[in-house]
Amino acid sequence: MTPSMMAQERGEPLLQSGNGAAGGGAKGSPPPALARTVLKVLMWAVFLTWAAAIFFYPTKPAQAAFEGWMAATKQSLFGITGSIFLAFSAPILIVAALAYVYISAFPSDHIHVEKNKLKTLCFRLWTFPVLVDGPFGVVSAVEFIGIVLFIVYVVYSMTYYAVESVSLISKFGQISLTYSELLLYIIGLRFGSVGLFCMAFLFLPVSRGSVLLRLIDIPFEHATRYHVWLGHLTMALFTLHGLCYVIAWSLEGNLLGELAAWKEIGVANLPGVISLAAGLLMWVTSLHPVRKTYFELFFYTHQLYIIFVVFLAFHVGDFIFSFSAGPIFLFMLDRFLRFWQSRAKVDIISASCRPCGTVELVFSKPASLRYNALSFIFVQVRELSFLEWHPFSVSSSPMDGRYHMSILIKVLGSWTEKLRGIITDAQEQGRNGSESETGRITACVEGPYGHESPYHLMYENLILVAGGIGISPFLAILSDIIHRIEEGKPCMPKNVLVLWSVKKSNELSLLSAVDAQFISSSVSDKLHLDIQAFVTQESQPPLEEGIVGDDRKATGMFVKNGTTMSGLVGTGNNFWAGMYFAASTLGFVLAYALAQAYYVRRLNVFAWWHLGLVFVLCMAAGVALPGGLVVLLWHLSEKRKAEDDRWDAAAAAVPRAQDGEEEAEQTTNGADAADGGVSLAAVKTTRYGCRPQFEAEFAAFAEKAGGGAADVGVLVCGPPGLQASVARECRSHNLGRRGGRRRRAGAVFHFNSHSFDL
């Protein structure tokens, strides 16, 4: 089979999401650079203006400007709520709209574009670890700047509010409250105000398919860390907000009466208590010791976010809720789309257990669903739980095939143990000659998500550091690199070092899961691959090492659930995703206008909590009705495209079968080996009873890479301790220090992680 036909069979992998109508400009001449610059400047201008409005909101000049804005716009149909929404929520929606235009018009799908990205200061700050040990884990320079800015904002705002509160109290005349009670009321109000602004940022990183994350190329596994940090900050502020009021009510001697109060005009206390209680449950169960030991408890209690948001709207009313409504609306868009995608019961091409105890699932997917080797998916198995979704890195390369995607799952807890039990029972039935029940694994899939940029294709020199099952995404990377070189596609890596630590030698057999098991002589001339495996809990090779290394997995069970993976994902077709965003946003605005004109004003609705309910219902209606219609059309489009792909594949299979090309393809690997190619096992060196010495390994690799100022990409997937060790070594190399002494400048190591800390 010729390289061009192999490329047609496997399909072009996604370097930057954009297919169909979304890839405008990919085939023709690119739009002028001026348009790209204008869009970038416009997005940055809107975002920085929004951030500045939040940062300077406590100051008197900002308050005066805001009061003037409300006075000029409150007579509109949308009233004060519309004024606040335009000032504090609309900007982030405008940035999202511009982002859809940007990623559609300028898909960065050329490797040389990504290579140039290495030289930018921003990228170097993203990949330079500043903090390694501490409560935040490994923190890059950009992340550190973000943490400092949020701390400065909270301290500055509360200090300003505290000083202002003292001067404000002195202006009050004779009131029934004591000085302490009044101070608690004002400070509590300010804690709530700052917490509300922090909550606006809380929902941005948790939207898995968010166009904003795609725009700045932050994969969801990194964004979850920001959600955790912001969650701690937001809940701390809301807790202090509630605590100030509880203490003040206790001093007044009316604690229970105030807690149960549900006012028509003003803030309703009881909904606030319910919202805070839901938030506290989510907060406590999300703490790392609880989350790690009782993941199911963390997962189920986190569904209380609906109660948290809805009762917060009841608590503060529509106009205060609109301060943070924009990011919440973006989250609702993402959540509704994920609901549609997760309804599909996906066919499992193969479900098998490897001898090392790892489960392998191979899902059917449409050819139009693109991903890259650093993608991951969320998987639900309904026989185990209707609510639990678990993230897994994809272990297959998009170059391995157009119609399937595989993952490797290590058995670590009750969920994975039950999954392995289902598969082993089916395999046992197959060996006994009895027919296993079909549909015993009802799987649903969300995703794929992950890096927009092909991080592993951006460097000529690449180090992959894995711990245990962390090798899974690197298997996809190795297969992707080998296939791309074989087929003459753009591929930067020339020197690749894999450092893989495992506890037992039987885990080394996972290397056989790579689709490209043999490296042809033409590939080996262009790629220097070195795989260093470290077995930490065995001092010498086992007697049966050769047998274990084969890892001949049992025949996988096929499960027919009725369909392939759904293409309804935020990282999918840019055209349909943009249409969904536009229809939902316009639907929300129209629904709120109609509600104001024909319900609120006509029926004289004035209760704050009632207005908050109307506002939330209009948000939901905009997403579910016009947005749902677009999603339905998107689904029908994807379904028709999948049917066309199946017909094309069937038609293309006939001439190949007649020409004997299928047989030739099956013997390709063997021919490569006969022509001087080597297997992956041949380039693997195994060491027993030791761990990798990163200082020596990195220094040796830098010398082989040519030394000097070479850029070396370092990608790590494993436990937090492994990430910290690798990040520490990257930082030491980049700072040029060894043992407190300066060394001469050398290779620059760019650190990046690909791990979920759940």
Side-chain angles (χ1 to χ4, degrees), residues 33 37 106 143 174 217 272 528 623 631 633 726 757:
T37 303
F106 307 103
E143 292 169 339
Q174 294 295 326
D217 195 19
H528 180 267
V623 174
V631 171
L633 296 175
V726 175
D757 184 19

Side-chain angles (χ1 to χ4, degrees), residues 39 64 104 114 166 306 361 363 434 463 602 651 660 688:
L39 272 177
S104 298
E114 304 303 334
V166 173
I306 300 176
L361 298 180
F363 297 104
S434 60
I463 299 178
R602 180 167 295 183
Y688 292 86

Side-chain angles (χ1 to χ4, degrees), residues 117-184:
K117 186 178 178 182
L118 300 180
K119 305 300 182 182
T120 63
L121 176 62
C122 182
F123 184 81
R124 290 179 179 270
L125 292 177
W126 269 113
T127 58
F128 178 72
V130 175
L131 301 180
V132 175
D133 302 303
F136 296 103
V138 179
V139 177
S140 70
V142 170
E143 292 169 339
F144 179 75
I145 293 172
I147 292 172
V148 171
L149 287 177
F150 267 97
I151 293 175
V152 169
Y153 165 67
V154 173
V155 174
Y156 153 78
S157 298
M158 291 310 303
T159 303
Y160 191 96
Y161 279 138
V163 174
E164 184 187 47
S165 299
V166 173
S167 62
L168 184 64
I169 292 175
S170 62
K171 298 178 181 179
F172 278 95
Q174 294 295 326
I175 56 176
S176 60
L177 299 175
T178 65
Y179 179 88
S180 299
E181 293 168 355
L182 186 57
L183 182 63
L184 284 169

Side-chain angles (χ1 to χ4, degrees), residues 740-754:
R741 296 173 298 175
R742 295 284 299 179
R743 64 170 177 82
R744 63 182 180 86
V748 178
F749 290 84
H750 300 265
F751 175 85
N752 209 326
S753 63
H754 183 76

Side-chain angles (χ1 to χ4, degrees), residues 4 8 16 194 235 237 265 274 291 331 348 350 398 472 491 696:
S4 61
Q8 183 179 4
Q16 283 277 29
V194 176
M235 285 312 305
L237 291 169
I265 303 296
I274 296 173
R291 186 175 74 247
F331 172 77
I348 301 178
S350 174
S472 180
C491 186

Side-chain angles (χ1 to χ4, degrees), residues 12 33 59 97 111 156 171 325 365 387 459 598 618 691 706 712:
E12 180 68 23
T59 63
I111 300 300
Y156 153 78
K171 298 178 181 179
K365 80 170 192 69
L387 291 178
Y459 298 92
Y598 296 101
C618 290
R691 299 179 183 275
V712 179

Side-chain angles (χ1 to χ4, degrees), residues 184 241-252 255 259 273 276:
L184 284 169
H241 163 73
L243 191 60
C244 286
Y245 279 95
V246 167
I247 296 174
W249 293 334
S250 298
L251 293 176
E252 290 181 23
L255 176 60
L259 288 176
V273 172
L276 182 59

Side-chain angles (χ1 to χ4, degrees), residues 478-545:
L478 292 177
S479 182
D480 196 51
I481 292 174
I482 294 172
H483 280 316
R484 294 186 70 86
I485 295 177
E486 284 178 343
E487 300 178 17
K489 295 184 180 298
C491 186
M492 288 293 299
K494 293 181 174 60
N495 301 293
V496 178
L497 171 64
V498 181
L499 301 176
W500 182 21
S501 300
V502 296
K503 294 180 179 179
K504 300 293 183 180
S505 58
N506 62 353
E507 297 180 57
L508 299 176
S509 59
L510 289 175
L511 196 61
S512 65
V514 179
D515 178 74
Q517 279 297 301
F518 287 92
I519 304 175
S520 65
S521 57
S522 60
V523 174
S524 59
D525 291 340
K526 301 177 182 178
L527 175 67
H528 180 267
L529 175 62
D530 184 14
I531 302 176
Q532 299 285 338
F534 300 84
V535 183
T536 60
Q537 295 186 2
E538 293 179 2
S539 58
Q540 57 185 357
L543 296 177
E544 66 278 11
E545 181 183 20

